[in-house]
Amino acid sequence: MLPTTDRFKKGAKETLADPVIQMSMEAVYTGFHTNRQSAAAATEGWDEQRDRGRAIKEHTIANLDYYLEMLTDKIDENGGNVFFANDSAEATEYILNVARARDVKTVIKSKSMVSEEMSLAHEMEAVGIEAVETDLGEYIIQLAGETPYHIIAPAIHKSQDQVAEMFSEMTGTDPGQTPEELTTTARGMLRETFQRADMSVTGVNFAVAESGSIVLVTNEGNGRMCTSIPRVHVAVMGMEKIVPSMQDLGMMLRILIRSATGQRISSYVTMINGPRREEEEDGPEEFHLVIVDNGRMKLLADPKLREALYCLRCGACLNACPVYRKVGGHSYGWVYPGPIGAVVSPVMSGLKQGKDLPFASSLCGACREVCPVKIDIPNMLLHLRQQVVEGPPEDRSVGRIERLGWKAWRFGNMKSSRFWAGGKLANLLGRPFARKGMFRRLPPPLSGWTRSRDLPITASSPFRDRFKKRRPNSSGGEE
Amino acid sequence: MAITGRDAFLGRVRGALGRSPGAPELDSATHIGLSVEDVRRSADDVRREMTESADALLDAITESAATAGWKVRRVASPEDAADVVAQICAEAGATKVLRSDQDIFASVPVDAALESKGITPGIATVGEAGADVSILKQAAFDSDVGITGVDYAIAETGTVVLHPRKGLSRLLSLAPERHIAILNRGDVLPSLDELFTLERADYNDGAIEGSMNLISGPSRTGDIAATIVDGIHGPLEVHLVIVG
């Protein structure tokens, strides 16, 4: 996917003015976020499990080469194929070659964010292979020609009416259908596609190093269809998606699913240990695992950003984030939106272009609080901000005027006498322009502040002076 | 089979980590270091608990399965279980019913019970003759009901565990509109953790199947206007018949 991370401010402004999206986005808080809170409260030892989840990821990532080797040796033993891809182009080429070699006509896709990095469905369509997204949310945005809005709820920004209209145009159904009726319509369309598919592409929620297994978590059952029907199954994963042992899965599934939707468990969890066994009734004859870097190595190499690779892609930080809920998923301009996206998207797709993303946060810490593996997102955002500010001048997000402003601020704050004098001076100079103690509109570069709120003028008589006058006697307090 | 591009890739990972090749110091957080004997011992403990706490675990799954979205019926005998299965099929107006070829149907007389309602069940296998797998696929998609046993159930989450294998098609519990699973006393695990202990022991013994499915309720979606709807790709309705 080509990044449009440089459009962040523009995209955010447009989304804020879109009443349909603003209404639809309420659900990420009232639904997902609230459900997550209840699930966390109802799980015994929730916090200890998060600590253990984090410790497992920390250990695995610190020894990633060892576990990647173990995982791929086991897949090889199980009769599967492995391809290591440095970037999206290599991964895409490998998958297209598999499809061509097996004369594949129709590919069914289960939700995979890595395949979004590759724009894989587009690439397949471009060479004449039918590629159908089968997660209902992904299916809707594929029909709309859009990209996912949320990591686990790709079409969360679409209203019921918008979906009904799209389906109506396609199939001639009533444009006033309810979610239940629309689901039935989609069921009919997709079941027909499932039956004729000859290859599938799925993501991977966890890969187990010691057994060469991959685990898929779904509610709809499309992941199961994809691993039951076609002749060929290709799973795509970011290189970080490993746990060492099968025994680690119970706890990992618990913290992932409860953080994602608040369910105790999803309707389906599927573990695949290579291609079908010879005596089995059905299932893919061929299994491929594609392990993708595509910029993750940059996160791995920076000790301050490495923990971004602990992410389980549950989406809890998106739901908790007051910025994401307002500016929406598309504003972030690449595959991963929200707080974790503000870290990984600019690093993976280019910090120069995505320099605004690390600043799209109030650093309130809600993301860190809900993260199932306690990733310190605010700290990483600060680290990236520092890189942006201290980087080469052409990469800086901070303009000359702002830098000048900060220099003046520094000068003014170096001595208390300057600070007090500055406050009084600002009052004196600003008084003619203020109304009822407020600035309603300031000239650029301060106009951004006053566009949506007023700025109060500094006090004519500062607190320090008033406090001195009110003291009953000067010997009462410390001198 | 083939592994492509690994050496260079792992070299870059080591470069990024500043790490030289070799096994890591084992971390107490993961279970990776456990020996085959340790795992086998844990698995034996789990199996003992399944038997010793069978009644309490049956009570627990009765409740958690209902929470997960299963329609739960608990019966006293295998004959009663067969009758309940036939009754569910009849009430659903099912004409096409498929069952697996699992051992449980030797003790639970589902075929006879169905015949008494005028339904002749098919068996979802490709068969010795090596018939085309597409026939099985078509049958599964066309069926009103798929009936299977249960390898394990999980009390914590209300989950039915199935390992597709000879006699148990992957699609049978997925493609038909309804899935009925029959659970025997003694097959219930306390939590996900015990399941993975058993899987791991099986893996060490070379006895692991090609895949495993954890099923916890009907196929569901919340992708249209964040409204939860049952029955998107898989079964609209799932029934758990508990014997014991």
Side-chain angles (χ1 to χ4, degrees), chain A residues 352-413:
Chain A
K352 186 175 170 182
Q353 193 180 350
K355 62 193 175 185
D356 285 336
L357 296 191
F359 293 86
S361 163
S362 67
L363 303 176
C364 73
C367 48
R368 178 176 48 204
E369 215 166 280
V370 298
C371 177
V373 288
K374 301 192 177 180
I375 299 174
D376 194 346
I377 294 175
N379 199 39
M380 289 191 291
L381 291 172
L382 281 173
H383 176 66
L384 286 176
R385 287 182 189 187
Q386 191 184 355
Q387 282 190 7
V388 167
V389 172
E390 292 178 354
E394 66 273 19
D395 292 0
R396 288 175 189 157
S397 79
V398 186
R400 229 158 39 98
I401 295 177
E402 190 177 339
R403 295 179 80 83
L404 213 67
W406 285 114
K407 268 192 188 150
W409 188 87
R410 181 169 181 269
F411 174 82
N413 281 280

Side-chain angles (χ1 to χ4, degrees), chain A residues 172-465:
Chain A
T173 49
D174 172 13
Q177 283 195 329
T178 63
E180 288 78 9
E181 291 164 338
L182 290 166
T183 302
T184 308
T185 304
R187 178 183 171 93
M189 296 191 280
L190 283 164
R191 271 170 82 89
E192 190 266 317
T193 312
F194 282 129
Q195 290 181 69
R196 62 187 157 84
D198 31 28
M199 176 168 144
S200 66
V201 175
T202 71
V204 172
N205 288 100
F206 299 104
V208 183
E210 70 173 353
S211 62
S213 315
I214 64 149
V215 177
L216 297 173
V217 177
T218 75
N219 271 311
E220 299 186 355
N222 57 321
R224 289 186 63 195
M225 290 286 186
C226 287
T227 57
S228 300
I229 297 169
R231 289 178 281 135
V232 184
H233 170 205
V234 180
V236 192
M237 65 176 248
M239 65 183 196
E240 76 279 14
K241 288 264 163 180
I242 303 191
V243 294
S245 166
M246 253 193 254
Q247 192 75 71
D248 301 327
L249 284 175
M251 197 256 322
M252 283 303 202
L253 286 169
R254 222 171 265 133
I255 57 175
L256 166 66
I257 297 166
R258 292 173 201 205
S259 299
T261 58
Q263 292 168 286
R264 234 186 269 179
I265 191 168
S266 53
S267 288
Y268 304 114
V269 174
T270 305
M271 186 157 94
I272 301 292
N273 312 312
R276 62 178 281 194
R277 302 285 193 254
E278 211 175 305
E279 67 286 359
E280 251 192 89
E281 303 295 340
D282 44 12
E285 295 152 13
E286 223 178 286
F287 174 72
H288 299 258
L289 179 65
V290 179
I291 301 174
V292 183
D293 164 5
N294 204 32
R296 288 167 175 79
M297 219 62 89
K298 286 186 264 180
L299 294 167
L300 188 69
D302 187 335
K304 288 199 165 150
L305 297 176
R306 192 172 291 165
E307 65 178 294
L309 295 173
Y310 303 171
C311 176
L312 308 180
R313 305 277 187 260
C314 68
C317 63
L318 279 59
N319 307 332
C321 180
V323 177
Y324 169 81
R325 291 202 304 265
K326 285 291 160 193
V327 306
H330 286 164
S331 306
Y332 290 83
W334 203 57
V335 181
Y336 305 99
I340 190 66
V343 175
V344 302
S345 286
V347 175
M348 291 172 66
S349 72
L351 185 56
K352 186 175 170 182
Q353 193 180 350
K355 62 193 175 185
D356 285 336
L357 296 191
F359 293 86
S361 163
S362 67
L363 303 176
C364 73
C367 48
R368 178 176 48 204
E369 215 166 280
V370 298
C371 177
V373 288
K374 301 192 177 180
I375 299 174
D376 194 346
I377 294 175
N379 199 39
M380 289 191 291
L381 291 172
L382 281 173
H383 176 66
L384 286 176
R385 287 182 189 187
Q386 191 184 355
Q387 282 190 7
V388 167
V389 172
E390 292 178 354
E394 66 273 19
D395 292 0
R396 288 175 189 157
S397 79
V398 186
R400 229 158 39 98
I401 295 177
E402 190 177 339
R403 295 179 80 83
L404 213 67
W406 285 114
K407 268 192 188 150
W409 188 87
R410 181 169 181 269
F411 174 82
N413 281 280
M414 286 298 277
K415 281 190 171 170
S416 60
S417 55
R418 287 180 201 161
F419 182 79
W420 306 124
K424 281 183 183 165
L425 190 68
N427 177 269
L428 218 62
L429 293 174
R431 216 179 290 171
F433 305 101
R435 220 177 292 161
K436 292 185 183 161
M438 292 284 182
F439 297 111
R440 297 284 154 85
R441 206 186 252 169
L442 287 167
L446 302 171
S447 53
W449 173 275
T450 49
R451 192 176 299 127
S452 49
R453 50 215 184 296
D454 296 340
L455 180 71
I457 190 171
T458 51
S460 55
S461 167
F463 173 76
R464 191 178 126 111
D465 293 352

